Amino acid sequence: MSTSDPLARTAAARRPEPRRSLLVCAVVGAAVMAAVDEIVFHQLLHWHHFYDRSTSGVALLSDGLLHTAELLALVAGFFLYADLRRRGALAPGHAWSGVFLGAGAFQVFDGIVDHKVLRVHQVRYGVDVTPYDWAWNLAGLVLLVIGGVSLARARRAGGRRVS
Amino acid sequence: MTAGPVAAPLALACVLAAVVYAVGAVRLRTRGDAWPWLRDCVFATGCAAVVWGLAGPVPGGLFTAHTGRHLLVAMAGPALLAMARPLTLVLRLLPPGGARRGLLRVAHSPAAGWLLFPPVAAAVDVGGLWLLYRTDLWAATHRNPLLGGLLELHMLLAGLLFAMAVCRLDPVRGRCGLPLRAVTLLAAGAAHAVLAKSLYVAGPPGTSFAAADLRAGAHLMYYGGDAVEVLLALVLAAQWYAATGRRRARQAAREALPAGAR
């Protein structure tokens, strides 16, 4: 066969896919943040409770769904990321902003919906929880801001390259 | 789950299956077939997990030990067994003829197709678990050893059914798309996690386990379930990765052809 390897031929036409890079890495970021939450606050510090006695049925169901979805997202995210790498379609700037946006979104969602609206569990027990809640949600906000700024920079850089 | 009348024969059958699989894989290789060694290891590990859960010593209080056995016999073991593609191995080994045709007819029968439809398999597997922990079934299995034994058999078979339905590595009836299998895994995992958390505060009806035992068991069930779920998710993700790569290679090969030959 005189033509080269078909995969190598498509490699010549490799194009970064910023949108997909952003989305896939946001999934990875959210799932990694969830894993950090589970390992650090549940297992190492024992701040969060496995089961808060005031947990309602709806909260239990949402917690079960979210926890399982996190696990599946972690696996799916890494395989989707590997696929982007394999195709040479990863846009690094968008990917990093995706990681921060995903992590921040999870942190704020966990802090507001899980801790405050559904009251699945609290950040810490036996202390005044207000400063912990502020710290939790502000940390999430900082992650979101970092993600937003890096996304804007990646977009500007991408725009320059195209023009 | 205690050692009932079914546990010993079931464990023996598992050991036998491991031997048959190993011998069969060696025969395939000497014949010239490619059969990865990893599959032999995975099948042997799965059999070891089931045998350990049925007959081996498991640490912890009564409920925690039960959860550990359940994890081995109904979840980790069957997942590993399904990953080793036992049906594919048997079909390759059987000579063309009655036995092979019969086995294929069973695998491709409408009944098998229904049972291996992922939501049905999940309902059989996780639904059975909810019945065991949230009705008087648990107390009944402890009064009646035969019922307890049948429960052990059901747990192994239902676990195998679920793993085969979700992974779909063997040639069974019907194709199921990745989205349906992934959503089924999500729903089954969530139902398992919710049950585990609810057991943290309230044990099965008609039982009185120590609170610490119940909590340790619920923890083990929750995080053990996570481990098996990740294992199954890895199988699905690897399938997707390989299939996407193949599709793209085909597409590239088509595009490489001159326009007239397409």
Side-chain angles (χ1 to χ4, degrees), chain A residues 6-7 9-10 20 38 42-43 50-51 53 60-61 63-65 67-69 71-72 75 79-80 82-83 86-87, chain B residues 182 185-186 189-190 193-194 197 200-201 215 219 222-223 226 229-230 233-234 237-238 240-241 244-245 248 252-253 256:
Chain A
L7 274 178
R9 285 177 64 91
T10 48
R20 197 175 161 91
E38 192 76 33
H42 283 266
Q43 298 301 322
F50 183 67
Y51 187 107
R53 288 198 178 258
L60 213 54
L61 179 63
D63 180 65
L65 268 174
H67 179 71
T68 312
L71 288 176
L72 298 187
V75 174
F79 274 82
L80 287 164
D83 183 56
R86 169 170 74 174
R87 289 190 287 139
Chain B
L185 185 58
L186 172 67
V194 169
K197 280 216 170 167
Y200 188 78
V201 283
R215 287 181 184 177
H219 263 122
Y222 191 76
Y223 291 112
D226 284 1
E229 222 159 80
V230 166
L234 283 172
W240 171 83
Y241 191 78
T244 311
R248 220 168 271 136

Side-chain angles (χ1 to χ4, degrees), chain A residues 28-63:
Chain A
V28 173
V32 165
M33 200 67 212
V36 166
D37 172 65
E38 192 76 33
I39 293 166
V40 174
F41 293 97
H42 283 266
Q43 298 301 322
L44 295 181
L45 292 174
H46 290 288
W47 277 10
H48 295 4
H49 281 189
F50 183 67
Y51 187 107
D52 183 332
R53 288 198 178 258
S54 65
T55 312
S56 68
V58 177
L60 213 54
L61 179 63
S62 88
D63 180 65

